[in-house]
Amino acid sequence: VRTIADAESEAERQTLGRIAIRKVAVGSAPRVMAGATLGEATRAIRRSTGRDRVADLVIDALDRFAPACEAAILLVVRGATAIGWKGFQRAGGGLPEIAVPMDDAGLVPRVVELNVTMRRAAADLDPIDRLLLGSLGHTDGDLVVVPIAIADLVMCVIAIATPENAPLAS
C-alpha cells in the first residue's frame, strides 16, 4: 500500500496507450441518520452489529453533531499502516484514498501508541501530519486524531480537520 509519505512513481504518472490513468476519489459515506440527538446516535452506534454500519453511524454523527469538524476520516490500523476507510468533507466532494505510515513520526502513530486524543495546529505539524491534513482538504487549522480502542488496543483512529482552536465536544 502506497502511503501519503511515498512519492508518486513514474508508472503512476504515465498513460496506458492513449487512455490517461487517473485516480478516483473515494466518496463520502452515505447519509444513515440514526437518532435525532447525539445521545440517540451514540446508542445506535453501540447497538449496531456490523462494522460497516458502525462506521457509517460514526461519520454521520460527526457530520451532524460536531459543527467544528470540517472533514473527517476513519483510519483502520493494519500493521505498519493506517488505511482510510470512510469519511466526509463539509465542502463537498470525496476524500482521496489515504494510507498513513505507522513507523514515521506523527500524530496517528502517537495516538495509537498512547491511546489518547491529540491535537495540533497546522503550523506545528510534522510532514506526514501536514499531508494528512491536506488529504482532508485543508492546509490550515488543526488536525485532531482520536483513538478507537477495543479492550485497550487501538484498532482505528478518526482524523479530523477543524478551524484553529475550534471547540470540539468529547
Side-chain angles (χ1 to χ4, degrees), residues 43-111:
R43 270 191 299 287
I45 292 167
R46 289 186 177 153
R47 291 179 180 164
S48 292
T49 55
R51 62 181 168 204
D52 282 322
R53 176 77 175 151
V54 169
D56 287 339
L57 291 173
V58 166
I59 294 302
D60 178 66
L62 283 169
D63 188 14
R64 291 192 301 137
F65 300 111
C69 179
E70 294 178 338
I73 190 162
L74 184 62
L75 299 159
V76 179
V77 179
R78 294 284 185 254
T81 308
I83 301 169
W85 183 16
K86 298 190 182 224
F88 80 96
Q89 285 189 65
R90 286 204 195 283
L95 293 173
E97 292 182 7
I98 300 172
V100 178
M102 296 299 291
D103 52 359
D104 288 337
L107 288 179
V108 173
R110 279 299 270 160
V111 165

